[in-house]
Amino acid sequence: MYKTKGSVQTENARKYLQQLCKHFAHKVDVDFTPDKGLVSFPMGQCTILAQSTLLSFEGQSEQEEGIARMKGVIISHLDKFAWREQIEYIWDDSCE
């Protein structure tokens, strides 16, 4: 199993969690609350957590390229929702 953890600093963490989960729910199964989302992407599961100024992601996939695709989907969508901000992503693919 391949895993990744990512995070972004933003004052709008809860807002972006809601936007991401609602958007992804048009195509895949999603369960979410204001602070946590579970997204069932075709390439694997991703948990999205929102704290006051931190939006974090924990993803897993059976294939290494699944992690790259998952990160790409998250980045492309969050960049669209957060177009007013300069988002800096921090990823760690060495998670156990």
Side-chain angles (χ1 to χ4, degrees):
M1 188 67 66
Y2 295 90
K3 297 182 180 182
T4 189
K5 287 186 179 183
S7 63
V8 297
Q9 292 288 328
T10 175
E11 296 290 327
N12 298 300
R14 286 182 177 86
K15 173 186 170 186
Y16 295 146
L17 179 140
Q18 299 288 312
Q19 285 181 299
L20 288 168
C21 288
K22 286 178 182 179
H23 181 78
F24 294 148
H26 292 287
K27 300 255 181 184
V28 298
D29 289 336
V30 177
D31 289 314
F32 66 97
T33 66
D35 299 318
K36 182 178 181 180
L38 179 61
V39 183
S40 298
F41 289 117
M43 70 287 283
Q45 295 279 329
C46 182
T47 301
I48 307 171
L49 301 170
Q51 297 172 327
S52 60
T53 61
L54 183 70
L55 186 63
S56 60
F57 309 92
E58 294 180 13
Q60 61 182 19
S61 178
E62 292 185 15
Q63 299 178 345
E64 188 173 4
E65 63 267 12
I67 293 296
R69 287 192 355 241
M70 184 182 299
K71 287 168 34 178
V73 168
I74 290 167
I75 291 168
S76 68
H77 286 83
L78 185 54
D79 282 351
K80 288 177 186 173
F81 295 137
W83 63 273
R84 290 183 174 100
E85 293 186 51
Q86 183 73 27
I87 297 289
E88 182 180 337
Y89 298 88
I90 299 170
W91 293 100
D92 178 5
D93 294 344
S94 65
C95 320
E96 295 190 22

